[in-house]
Amino acid sequence: SGVELEGVPSSAPLRLLEGPAGTVVAGYSNGFLGLWDLATGRRLRSTRLHGAVVHLLRDGTAIHAATELGAHRSWDLGILERDRCEVLREVWQSVPVVWQGESVRLQPPPTAHPCSRP
C-alpha cells in the first residue's frame, strides 16, 4: 500500500522528482515546492515560490526548482545521505551547548549515546 504524504497542497502537482535518500520532490501549480520522505510520508522541507513550478532538476544531492515566472530555489540535500553519527558528532562539536531553563550552558555530548563513541 502507498504512503500518504503529509501537508500536500490542494493545488495540482506539475513536477515530481526522485530526491536523495528515499525522498521525493514535488512542484505545484501554486508555487509550492516540497520534499517528502517516501518511507513515512513526512514532509521534510517546503517553500513557496512565485509562479507555477515547471522545472525540477537533481544534480547529485542538490535539487533545483524554477517557476514559469523565473523564481527559483536550490536545496543542498547532501546531509540526507551522510552517516547519522557523523552528523551528530559534527553538531556536538560546533554547538557544544544546551538550553537549560532560560540560559545556555556548555555540555559535552551524552556519554550513553551510541554516536558519542568514534
Side-chain angles (χ1 to χ4, degrees):
S1 78
V3 172
E4 186 173 330
L5 302 180
E6 75 176 20
V8 174
S10 59
S11 181
L14 298 179
R15 297 289 183 266
L16 291 174
L17 181 66
E18 182 181 350
T23 60
V24 65
V25 181
Y28 291 82
S29 61
N30 66 353
F32 188 87
L33 177 66
L35 172 74
W36 287 267
D37 181 322
L38 285 173
T40 64
R42 182 171 169 230
R43 189 172 69 200
L44 303 175
R45 189 168 191 178
S46 65
T47 192
R48 186 165 312 265
L49 301 172
H50 185 61
V53 178
V54 293
H55 301 285
L56 278 180
L57 172 71
R58 178 174 172 185
D59 182 14
T61 58
I63 301 294
H64 307 284
T67 71
E68 63 188 358
L69 300 175
H72 54 90
R73 182 70 37 98
S74 293
W75 290 336
D76 179 359
L77 302 175
I79 195 166
L80 296 177
E81 294 189 341
R82 289 180 58 199
D83 176 72
R84 175 178 175 266
C85 286
E86 176 188 319
V87 172
L88 276 173
R89 285 191 291 268
E90 188 176 299
V91 169
W92 289 332
Q93 183 177 11
S94 62
V95 187
V97 296
V98 295
W99 282 101
Q100 187 173 35
E102 294 184 17
S103 62
V104 175
R105 68 177 177 85
L106 283 172
Q107 179 174 312
T111 56
H113 195 285
C115 293
S116 65
R117 297 175 210 96

Coordinates of all heavy atoms in Angstrom, one line a residue, residues 10-107:
S10 N -3.6 21.6 -2.0 CA -4.7 21.3 -2.8 C -4.5 21.6 -4.3 O -5.3 21.3 -5.1 CB -6.0 21.9 -2.3 OG -5.8 23.3 -2.3
S11 N -3.4 22.3 -4.6 CA -3.0 22.7 -5.9 C -2.6 21.5 -6.7 O -2.1 20.5 -6.1 CB -1.9 23.7 -5.9 OG -1.5 24.2 -7.1
A12 N -2.6 21.5 -8.0 CA -2.2 20.4 -8.9 C -0.7 20.3 -8.9 O 0.1 21.3 -9.1 CB -2.7 20.7 -10.3
P13 N -0.2 19.1 -8.7 CA 1.3 18.8 -8.9 C 1.7 18.9 -10.3 O 1.0 18.3 -11.2 CB 1.5 17.4 -8.3 CG 0.2 16.8 -8.4 CD -0.9 17.8 -8.4
L14 N 2.7 19.6 -10.6 CA 3.2 19.7 -12.0 C 4.5 18.9 -12.3 O 4.7 18.5 -13.4 CB 3.4 21.2 -12.4 CG 2.2 22.1 -12.3 CD1 2.6 23.5 -12.7 CD2 1.1 21.6 -13.2
R15 N 5.3 18.8 -11.3 CA 6.6 18.1 -11.5 C 6.9 17.2 -10.2 O 6.6 17.7 -9.1 CB 7.7 19.1 -11.6 CG 7.7 19.9 -12.9 CD 7.9 19.1 -14.1 NE 7.9 19.9 -15.3 CZ 6.8 20.1 -16.1 NH1 5.7 19.6 -15.8 NH2 6.9 20.8 -17.2
L16 N 7.3 16.0 -10.5 CA 7.8 15.1 -9.5 C 9.2 14.7 -9.8 O 9.5 14.5 -11.0 CB 6.9 13.9 -9.4 CG 5.5 14.1 -8.9 CD1 4.7 12.8 -9.0 CD2 5.5 14.5 -7.4
L17 N 10.0 14.5 -8.8 CA 11.4 14.2 -9.0 C 11.9 13.3 -7.8 O 11.6 13.7 -6.6 CB 12.2 15.4 -9.1 CG 13.7 15.3 -9.3 CD1 14.0 14.7 -10.7 CD2 14.4 16.7 -9.2
E18 N 12.6 12.2 -8.1 CA 13.2 11.4 -7.0 C 14.3 12.2 -6.4 O 15.2 12.7 -7.1 CB 13.7 10.1 -7.6 CG 14.3 9.2 -6.6 CD 14.9 7.9 -7.2 OE1 14.7 7.7 -8.3 OE2 15.6 7.2 -6.4
G19 N 14.3 12.4 -5.1 CA 15.3 13.1 -4.4 C 16.3 12.1 -3.8 O 16.2 10.9 -4.0
P20 N 17.3 12.6 -3.0 CA 18.3 11.7 -2.4 C 17.7 10.9 -1.2 O 16.7 11.4 -0.6 CB 19.4 12.6 -2.0 CG 18.8 13.9 -1.8 CD 17.6 14.0 -2.8
A21 N 18.3 9.8 -0.9 CA 18.0 9.1 0.3 C 16.5 8.8 0.5 O 15.9 9.0 1.6 CB 18.5 9.8 1.5
G22 N 15.8 8.3 -0.5 CA 14.4 7.9 -0.3 C 13.4 9.0 -0.2 O 12.5 8.9 0.5
T23 N 13.7 10.1 -0.9 CA 12.8 11.2 -0.8 C 12.2 11.5 -2.2 O 12.6 11.0 -3.2 CB 13.5 12.5 -0.3 OG1 14.6 12.8 -1.3 CG2 14.0 12.3 1.1
V24 N 11.1 12.3 -2.2 CA 10.5 12.8 -3.4 C 10.3 14.3 -3.3 O 10.0 14.8 -2.2 CB 9.2 12.0 -3.8 CG1 8.1 12.4 -2.7 CG2 8.7 12.4 -5.2
V25 N 10.5 15.0 -4.4 CA 10.4 16.4 -4.5 C 9.2 16.7 -5.4 O 9.1 16.0 -6.5 CB 11.6 17.1 -5.1 CG1 11.4 18.6 -5.1 CG2 12.8 16.8 -4.2
A26 N 8.3 17.6 -5.1 CA 7.1 17.9 -5.9 C 7.0 19.4 -6.0 O 7.2 20.1 -5.1 CB 5.9 17.3 -5.3
G27 N 6.7 19.8 -7.3 CA 6.5 21.2 -7.5 C 5.0 21.4 -8.0 O 4.5 20.6 -8.8
Y28 N 4.3 22.4 -7.5 CA 2.9 22.6 -7.7 C 2.6 23.8 -8.5 O 3.4 24.8 -8.6 CB 2.2 22.6 -6.4 CG 2.2 21.3 -5.7 CD1 3.3 20.9 -4.9 CD2 1.1 20.4 -5.8 CE1 3.4 19.6 -4.3 CE2 1.2 19.1 -5.2 CZ 2.3 18.8 -4.4 OH 2.3 17.6 -3.8
S29 N 1.4 23.9 -9.0 CA 0.9 25.0 -9.9 C 0.8 26.3 -9.1 O 0.8 27.4 -9.6 CB -0.4 24.7 -10.5 OG -1.4 24.4 -9.6
N30 N 0.6 26.2 -7.7 CA 0.5 27.4 -6.9 C 1.9 27.9 -6.4 O 2.0 28.7 -5.5 CB -0.4 27.2 -5.7 CG 0.1 26.1 -4.7 OD1 1.1 25.5 -4.9 ND2 -0.6 26.0 -3.6
G31 N 3.0 27.3 -6.9 CA 4.3 27.7 -6.5 C 4.9 26.9 -5.3 O 6.0 27.1 -4.8
F32 N 4.1 26.0 -4.7 CA 4.6 25.2 -3.6 C 5.6 24.2 -4.0 O 5.5 23.6 -5.1 CB 3.4 24.5 -2.9 CG 3.7 23.8 -1.6 CD1 3.6 24.4 -0.4 CD2 4.1 22.4 -1.6 CE1 3.9 23.8 0.8 CE2 4.4 21.8 -0.4 CZ 4.3 22.5 0.8
L33 N 6.7 24.1 -3.3 CA 7.7 23.1 -3.5 C 8.0 22.4 -2.2 O 8.1 23.0 -1.2 CB 9.0 23.9 -3.9 CG 10.3 23.0 -4.2 CD1 10.1 22.1 -5.4 CD2 11.5 23.9 -4.3
G34 N 7.9 21.0 -2.3 CA 8.0 20.2 -1.1 C 8.9 19.0 -1.3 O 9.1 18.5 -2.4
L35 N 9.5 18.6 -0.2 CA 10.3 17.4 -0.1 C 9.7 16.5 1.0 O 9.4 16.9 2.1 CB 11.7 17.8 0.3 CG 12.7 16.7 0.7 CD1 13.1 16.0 -0.6 CD2 13.9 17.2 1.4
W36 N 9.5 15.2 0.6 CA 8.9 14.2 1.5 C 9.7 13.0 1.6 O 10.4 12.6 0.6 CB 7.5 13.8 1.0 CG 6.4 14.8 1.1 CD1 5.6 15.0 2.2 CD2 6.1 15.9 0.2 NE1 4.7 16.1 2.0 CE2 5.0 16.6 0.7 CE3 6.6 16.3 -1.0 CZ2 4.5 17.7 0.1 CZ3 6.1 17.4 -1.7 CH2 5.0 18.1 -1.1
D37 N 9.7 12.4 2.8 CA 10.3 11.0 3.0 C 9.3 10.0 2.5 O 8.2 9.9 3.0 CB 10.5 10.9 4.5 CG 11.2 9.5 4.8 OD1 10.8 8.5 4.2 OD2 12.0 9.5 5.7
L38 N 9.7 9.2 1.5 CA 8.8 8.2 0.9 C 8.4 7.1 1.9 O 7.4 6.5 1.8 CB 9.4 7.6 -0.3 CG 9.3 8.6 -1.5 CD1 10.1 8.0 -2.7 CD2 7.9 8.9 -1.9
A39 N 9.3 6.8 2.9 CA 9.0 5.7 3.8 C 7.9 6.0 4.8 O 7.1 5.2 5.2 CB 10.3 5.3 4.5
T40 N 7.9 7.3 5.2 CA 7.0 7.7 6.3 C 5.9 8.7 5.8 O 4.9 8.9 6.5 CB 7.7 8.4 7.4 OG1 8.3 9.6 6.9 CG2 8.8 7.5 8.0
G41 N 6.1 9.3 4.7 CA 5.2 10.3 4.2 C 5.4 11.7 4.8 O 4.7 12.7 4.5
R42 N 6.3 11.8 5.7 CA 6.5 13.1 6.4 C 7.2 14.1 5.5 O 8.1 13.8 4.8 CB 7.5 12.8 7.6 CG 7.8 14.0 8.4 CD 8.5 13.6 9.7 NE 9.0 14.8 10.4 CZ 10.2 15.0 10.8 NH1 11.1 14.1 10.6 NH2 10.5 16.1 11.3
R43 N 6.6 15.3 5.6 CA 7.2 16.4 4.8 C 8.4 16.9 5.6 O 8.4 17.3 6.7 CB 6.2 17.6 4.7 CG 6.7 18.6 3.7 CD 5.7 19.7 3.4 NE 5.4 20.5 4.5 CZ 4.3 21.2 4.7 NH1 3.4 21.2 3.8 NH2 4.2 22.0 5.8
L44 N 9.5 17.0 4.9 CA 10.8 17.3 5.5 C 11.2 18.8 5.2 O 11.9 19.4 6.0 CB 11.9 16.5 4.9 CG 11.8 14.9 5.0 CD1 12.9 14.2 4.3 CD2 11.7 14.6 6.5
R45 N 10.7 19.3 4.1 CA 11.0 20.7 3.8 C 10.0 21.2 2.8 O 9.5 20.5 2.0 CB 12.4 20.7 3.2 CG 13.0 22.1 3.0 CD 14.5 22.0 2.7 NE 15.0 23.4 2.8 CZ 16.3 23.6 2.6 NH1 17.1 22.7 2.3 NH2 16.7 24.9 2.7
S46 N 9.8 22.5 2.9 CA 8.9 23.1 1.9 C 9.1 24.6 1.8 O 9.7 25.2 2.7 CB 7.4 22.9 2.2 OG 7.0 23.5 3.4
T47 N 8.7 25.2 0.7 CA 8.7 26.6 0.5 C 7.7 27.0 -0.6 O 7.1 26.1 -1.2 CB 10.1 27.1 0.0 OG1 10.2 28.5 0.1 CG2 10.5 26.6 -1.4
R48 N 7.4 28.3 -0.8 CA 6.5 28.7 -1.8 C 7.3 29.7 -2.7 O 7.9 30.6 -2.2 CB 5.3 29.4 -1.2 CG 4.3 29.7 -2.3 CD 2.9 30.0 -1.8 NE 2.3 29.1 -0.8 CZ 1.5 28.1 -1.1 NH1 1.2 27.8 -2.4 NH2 1.0 27.3 -0.2
L49 N 7.2 29.4 -4.0 CA 7.8 30.3 -5.0 C 6.7 31.1 -5.7 O 5.6 30.7 -5.7 CB 8.6 29.4 -6.0 CG 9.7 28.6 -5.3 CD1 10.3 27.6 -6.4 CD2 10.8 29.5 -4.8
H50 N 7.1 32.1 -6.4 CA 6.2 32.9 -7.2 C 6.0 32.3 -8.6 O 7.0 32.2 -9.4 CB 6.8 34.4 -7.3 CG 5.8 35.3 -8.0 ND1 4.6 35.6 -7.5 CD2 5.9 36.0 -9.1 CE1 4.0 36.5 -8.3 NE2 4.8 36.7 -9.3
G51 N 4.8 31.8 -8.8 CA 4.5 31.1 -10.1 C 4.5 29.6 -10.0 O 5.0 29.1 -9.0
A52 N 4.0 29.0 -11.0 CA 3.9 27.5 -11.0 C 5.3 26.9 -11.2 O 6.1 27.4 -12.0 CB 3.0 27.1 -12.2
V53 N 5.6 25.9 -10.4 CA 6.9 25.2 -10.5 C 6.9 24.3 -11.8 O 6.2 23.3 -11.8 CB 7.2 24.4 -9.3 CG1 8.5 23.6 -9.4 CG2 7.2 25.2 -8.0
V54 N 7.6 24.7 -12.8 CA 7.6 24.0 -14.1 C 8.9 23.3 -14.4 O 9.0 22.5 -15.3 CB 7.2 24.9 -15.2 CG1 5.7 25.3 -15.1 CG2 8.1 26.1 -15.3
H55 N 9.9 23.5 -13.5 CA 11.2 22.9 -13.8 C 11.8 22.3 -12.4 O 11.8 23.0 -11.4 CB 12.3 23.9 -14.3 CG 11.9 24.5 -15.6 ND1 11.9 23.9 -16.8 CD2 11.4 25.8 -15.8 CE1 11.5 24.7 -17.7 NE2 11.2 25.8 -17.2
L56 N 12.2 21.1 -12.5 CA 12.9 20.4 -11.3 C 14.0 19.7 -11.9 O 13.9 19.0 -12.9 CB 11.9 19.4 -10.6 CG 11.0 20.0 -9.6 CD1 10.2 18.8 -9.0 CD2 11.6 20.8 -8.5
L57 N 15.2 19.8 -11.2 CA 16.4 19.2 -11.7 C 17.2 18.7 -10.5 O 17.3 19.4 -9.5 CB 17.3 20.1 -12.5 CG 18.7 19.7 -12.8 CD1 18.6 18.6 -13.9 CD2 19.5 20.8 -13.3
R58 N 17.7 17.4 -10.5 CA 18.5 16.9 -9.5 C 19.9 16.8 -10.0 O 20.2 16.3 -11.1 CB 18.1 15.5 -9.1 CG 19.0 14.9 -8.0 CD 18.5 13.6 -7.4 NE 19.5 13.0 -6.6 CZ 19.3 11.9 -6.0 NH1 18.3 11.1 -6.2 NH2 20.3 11.4 -5.3
D59 N 20.9 17.4 -9.3 CA 22.3 17.4 -9.6 C 23.0 16.8 -8.4 O 23.4 17.5 -7.5 CB 22.8 18.8 -10.0 CG 24.2 18.8 -10.4 OD1 24.8 17.8 -10.7 OD2 24.8 19.9 -10.4
G60 N 23.2 15.5 -8.4 CA 23.8 14.8 -7.3 C 22.8 14.9 -6.1 O 21.7 14.3 -6.2
T61 N 23.2 15.6 -5.0 CA 22.3 15.7 -3.9 C 21.6 17.1 -3.9 O 20.9 17.4 -3.0 CB 23.0 15.4 -2.6 OG1 24.1 16.4 -2.5 CG2 23.5 14.0 -2.5
A62 N 21.8 17.9 -4.9 CA 21.2 19.2 -5.0 C 20.0 19.1 -5.8 O 19.9 18.4 -6.8 CB 22.2 20.2 -5.6
I63 N 19.0 19.9 -5.4 CA 17.7 20.0 -6.1 C 17.5 21.4 -6.5 O 17.7 22.4 -5.7 CB 16.5 19.6 -5.2 CG1 16.6 18.2 -4.7 CG2 15.2 19.8 -5.9 CD1 16.5 17.1 -5.8
H64 N 17.2 21.6 -7.8 CA 17.0 23.0 -8.3 C 15.6 23.1 -8.9 O 15.2 22.2 -9.6 CB 18.0 23.3 -9.5 CG 19.4 23.1 -9.0 ND1 20.1 23.9 -8.2 CD2 20.3 22.0 -9.3 CE1 21.3 23.5 -8.0 NE2 21.5 22.3 -8.7
A65 N 14.9 24.1 -8.5 CA 13.5 24.3 -9.0 C 13.4 25.7 -9.6 O 14.0 26.6 -9.1 CB 12.5 24.1 -7.8
A66 N 12.5 25.8 -10.6 CA 12.2 27.1 -11.2 C 10.8 27.2 -11.6 O 10.2 26.2 -11.9 CB 13.1 27.4 -12.4
T67 N 10.2 28.4 -11.6 CA 8.8 28.6 -11.9 C 8.7 29.2 -13.3 O 9.7 29.7 -13.9 CB 8.1 29.5 -10.9 OG1 8.6 30.9 -11.1 CG2 8.3 29.0 -9.5
E68 N 7.5 29.2 -13.8 CA 7.2 29.9 -15.1 C 7.5 31.4 -15.1 O 7.7 32.0 -16.1 CB 5.8 29.6 -15.5 CG 4.8 30.2 -14.5 CD 3.4 29.8 -14.8 OE1 3.1 29.0 -15.8 OE2 2.5 30.2 -14.1
L69 N 7.6 32.0 -13.9 CA 7.8 33.4 -13.8 C 9.3 33.7 -13.4 O 9.6 34.9 -13.2 CB 6.9 34.0 -12.7 CG 5.4 33.8 -13.0 CD1 4.5 34.4 -11.9 CD2 5.0 34.5 -14.3
G70 N 10.1 32.7 -13.4 CA 11.6 33.0 -13.2 C 12.0 32.9 -11.7 O 13.2 33.0 -11.4
A71 N 11.1 32.6 -10.8 CA 11.5 32.4 -9.4 C 12.3 31.1 -9.3 O 12.0 30.1 -10.1 CB 10.3 32.4 -8.5
H72 N 13.2 31.0 -8.4 CA 14.0 29.7 -8.4 C 14.5 29.5 -6.9 O 14.6 30.4 -6.1 CB 15.2 29.7 -9.3 CG 16.1 30.9 -9.2 ND1 17.1 30.9 -8.3 CD2 16.0 32.1 -9.7 CE1 17.7 32.1 -8.4 NE2 17.1 32.8 -9.2
R73 N 14.8 28.2 -6.7 CA 15.3 27.8 -5.4 C 16.2 26.6 -5.6 O 15.9 25.7 -6.4 CB 14.1 27.4 -4.5 CG 14.4 27.0 -3.0 CD 14.9 28.2 -2.2 NE 14.3 29.4 -2.4 CZ 13.3 30.0 -1.7 NH1 12.8 29.3 -0.7 NH2 12.8 31.2 -1.9
S74 N 17.2 26.5 -4.8 CA 18.1 25.3 -4.8 C 18.2 24.9 -3.3 O 18.4 25.7 -2.4 CB 19.5 25.7 -5.3 OG 19.4 26.0 -6.7
W75 N 18.2 23.5 -3.2 CA 18.4 22.9 -1.9 C 19.6 21.9 -2.0 O 19.6 21.1 -2.8 CB 17.2 22.1 -1.4 CG 16.0 23.0 -1.1 CD1 15.9 24.2 -0.6 CD2 14.6 22.5 -1.1 NE1 14.7 24.6 -0.4 CE2 13.8 23.6 -0.6 CE3 14.0 21.3 -1.4 CZ2 12.4 23.5 -0.5 CZ3 12.6 21.2 -1.3 CH2 11.8 22.3 -0.8
D76 N 20.5 22.1 -1.1 CA 21.6 21.1 -1.0 C 21.1 20.0 0.1 O 21.0 20.3 1.2 CB 22.9 21.7 -0.5 CG 24.0 20.7 -0.4 OD1 23.8 19.5 -0.6 OD2 25.1 21.1 0.0
L77 N 20.8 18.8 -0.4 CA 20.2 17.8 0.5 C 21.3 16.7 0.8 O 20.9 15.6 1.2 CB 19.0 17.2 -0.2 CG 17.9 18.2 -0.5 CD1 16.8 17.5 -1.2 CD2 17.4 18.9 0.8
G78 N 22.5 17.0 0.7 CA 23.6 16.1 0.9 C 23.6 15.5 2.3 O 24.0 14.3 2.5
I79 N 23.1 16.3 3.3 CA 23.1 15.8 4.7 C 22.2 14.5 4.8 O 22.4 13.7 5.7 CB 22.6 16.9 5.6 CG1 22.9 16.5 7.1 CG2 21.1 17.2 5.4 CD1 22.8 17.6 8.1
L80 N 21.2 14.4 3.9 CA 20.3 13.2 4.0 C 21.1 11.9 3.7 O 20.6 10.8 4.0 CB 19.2 13.4 3.0 CG 18.2 14.5 3.3 CD1 17.2 14.6 2.2 CD2 17.6 14.4 4.7
E81 N 22.2 12.0 3.0 CA 22.9 10.8 2.6 C 24.2 10.6 3.5 O 24.9 9.6 3.3 CB 23.3 10.8 1.1 CG 22.1 10.8 0.2 CD 22.5 10.6 -1.2 OE1 23.6 10.9 -1.6 OE2 21.6 10.2 -2.0
R82 N 24.4 11.5 4.5 CA 25.5 11.3 5.4 C 25.2 10.4 6.5 O 24.0 10.2 6.9 CB 25.9 12.7 5.9 CG 26.6 13.5 4.8 CD 27.0 14.9 5.3 NE 27.9 14.7 6.5 CZ 28.2 15.7 7.3 NH1 27.5 16.9 7.1 NH2 29.0 15.6 8.3
D83 N 26.2 9.8 7.1 CA 26.0 8.9 8.3 C 25.5 9.7 9.4 O 26.0 10.8 9.7 CB 27.4 8.3 8.6 CG 27.3 7.5 9.9 OD1 26.7 6.4 9.8 OD2 27.8 7.9 10.9
R84 N 24.4 9.2 10.1 CA 23.8 9.8 11.2 C 24.7 10.2 12.3 O 24.7 11.4 12.8 CB 22.7 8.9 11.7 CG 21.9 9.4 13.0 CD 20.8 8.4 13.4 NE 20.2 8.8 14.6 CZ 20.6 8.4 15.8 NH1 21.6 7.6 15.9 NH2 19.9 8.8 16.9
C85 N 25.6 9.3 12.7 CA 26.5 9.6 13.8 C 27.5 10.7 13.4 O 27.9 11.5 14.2 CB 27.2 8.3 14.3 SG 26.1 7.2 15.3
E86 N 28.0 10.6 12.2 CA 28.9 11.6 11.7 C 28.3 13.0 11.8 O 28.9 14.0 12.3 CB 29.3 11.3 10.2 CG 30.2 12.3 9.6 CD 30.3 12.0 8.1 OE1 30.4 10.9 7.7 OE2 30.3 13.0 7.3
V87 N 27.0 13.1 11.4 CA 26.3 14.4 11.5 C 26.2 14.9 13.0 O 26.4 16.0 13.3 CB 25.0 14.4 10.8 CG1 24.1 15.6 11.0 CG2 25.1 14.1 9.3
L88 N 25.8 13.9 13.8 CA 25.6 14.3 15.3 C 26.9 14.7 15.9 O 26.9 15.7 16.6 CB 25.0 13.1 16.0 CG 23.5 13.0 16.0 CD1 23.1 11.6 16.7 CD2 22.8 14.1 16.6
R89 N 28.0 14.0 15.6 CA 29.3 14.4 16.2 C 29.7 15.8 15.7 O 30.3 16.6 16.4 CB 30.4 13.4 15.8 CG 30.2 12.1 16.7 CD 31.4 11.2 16.5 NE 31.5 10.6 15.2 CZ 31.0 9.4 14.9 NH1 30.3 8.7 15.8 NH2 31.1 8.9 13.7
E90 N 29.4 16.1 14.4 CA 29.7 17.4 13.9 C 28.9 18.5 14.6 O 29.4 19.6 14.9 CB 29.4 17.4 12.4 CG 29.8 18.7 11.7 CD 29.6 18.6 10.2 OE1 30.2 17.6 9.5 OE2 28.8 19.4 9.6
V91 N 27.6 18.2 14.8 CA 26.8 19.2 15.5 C 27.3 19.4 17.0 O 27.4 20.5 17.5 CB 25.3 18.8 15.5 CG1 24.4 19.6 16.5 CG2 24.7 18.8 14.1
W92 N 27.5 18.3 17.7 CA 28.0 18.4 19.0 C 29.3 19.2 19.1 O 29.5 19.9 20.1 CB 28.2 17.0 19.6 CG 27.0 16.3 19.9 CD1 25.8 16.8 20.2 CD2 26.8 14.8 19.9 NE1 24.8 15.8 20.4 CE2 25.5 14.6 20.3 CE3 27.7 13.8 19.7 CZ2 25.0 13.3 20.4 CZ3 27.2 12.5 19.8 CH2 25.9 12.2 20.1
Q93 N 30.2 19.1 18.1 CA 31.4 19.8 18.1 C 31.2 21.3 17.9 O 31.8 22.1 18.5 CB 32.4 19.2 17.1 CG 33.7 19.9 17.1 CD 34.7 19.3 16.1 OE1 34.3 18.5 15.3 NE2 36.0 19.7 16.2
S94 N 30.3 21.6 16.9 CA 30.1 23.0 16.5 C 29.2 23.7 17.5 O 29.2 25.0 17.5 CB 29.7 23.1 15.1 OG 28.5 22.5 14.9
V95 N 28.3 23.0 18.2 CA 27.3 23.6 19.1 C 27.4 22.9 20.4 O 26.5 22.1 20.7 CB 25.9 23.5 18.5 CG1 24.9 24.3 19.4 CG2 25.8 24.0 17.1
P96 N 28.4 23.1 21.2 CA 28.6 22.4 22.5 C 27.8 22.9 23.6 O 28.2 22.9 24.8 CB 30.1 22.5 22.7 CG 30.4 23.9 22.2 CD 29.5 24.0 21.0
V97 N 26.6 23.4 23.4 CA 25.8 24.0 24.4 C 24.4 23.4 24.4 O 23.9 22.9 23.4 CB 25.7 25.5 24.3 CG1 27.1 26.2 24.5 CG2 25.1 25.9 23.0
V98 N 23.7 23.6 25.5 CA 22.3 23.2 25.6 C 21.5 24.3 26.3 O 22.1 25.0 27.1 CB 22.1 21.8 26.3 CG1 22.7 20.7 25.6 CG2 22.6 21.9 27.7
W99 N 20.2 24.3 26.0 CA 19.3 25.3 26.8 C 18.9 24.6 28.1 O 18.5 23.4 28.1 CB 18.1 25.6 26.0 CG 18.3 26.6 24.9 CD1 18.5 26.4 23.6 CD2 18.5 28.0 25.0 NE1 18.7 27.5 22.9 CE2 18.7 28.6 23.8 CE3 18.4 28.9 26.1 CZ2 18.9 29.9 23.5 CZ3 18.6 30.2 25.9 CH2 18.8 30.7 24.6
Q100 N 19.1 25.3 29.2 CA 18.6 24.9 30.4 C 17.8 26.0 31.1 O 18.4 27.0 31.5 CB 19.7 24.4 31.3 CG 19.3 23.8 32.6 CD 20.4 23.2 33.4 OE1 21.5 23.7 33.4 NE2 20.2 22.1 34.0
G101 N 16.5 25.9 31.2 CA 15.6 27.0 31.6 C 15.7 28.1 30.6 O 15.4 27.9 29.4
E102 N 16.2 29.2 31.0 CA 16.3 30.4 30.1 C 17.7 30.7 29.8 O 18.0 31.8 29.4 CB 15.5 31.6 30.7 CG 14.0 31.3 30.8 CD 13.2 32.5 31.2 OE1 13.8 33.7 31.2 OE2 12.1 32.3 31.6
S103 N 18.6 29.8 30.1 CA 20.0 30.1 29.8 C 20.7 29.0 29.1 O 20.2 27.9 28.9 CB 20.8 30.4 31.2 OG 20.7 29.2 31.9
V104 N 21.9 29.3 28.6 CA 22.6 28.3 27.8 C 23.8 27.9 28.7 O 24.4 28.7 29.4 CB 23.2 29.0 26.5 CG1 24.1 28.1 25.7 CG2 22.0 29.4 25.6
R105 N 24.1 26.6 28.6 CA 25.3 26.1 29.3 C 26.1 25.1 28.5 O 25.5 24.4 27.6 CB 24.9 25.5 30.7 CG 24.2 24.2 30.6 CD 23.9 23.7 32.0 NE 23.1 22.5 32.0 CZ 23.6 21.2 31.8 NH1 24.9 21.1 31.6 NH2 22.8 20.2 31.7
L106 N 27.4 25.1 28.7 CA 28.2 24.1 28.0 C 27.9 22.7 28.5 O 27.7 22.5 29.6 CB 29.7 24.4 28.3 CG 30.3 25.6 27.5 CD1 31.7 25.9 28.0 CD2 30.4 25.3 26.0
Q107 N 27.9 21.8 27.5 CA 27.6 20.4 27.9 C 28.3 19.5 26.8 O 28.1 19.7 25.6 CB 26.1 20.1 28.0 CG 25.8 18.7 28.3 CD 24.4 18.4 28.5 OE1 23.7 19.2 29.3 NE2 23.8 17.4 27.9

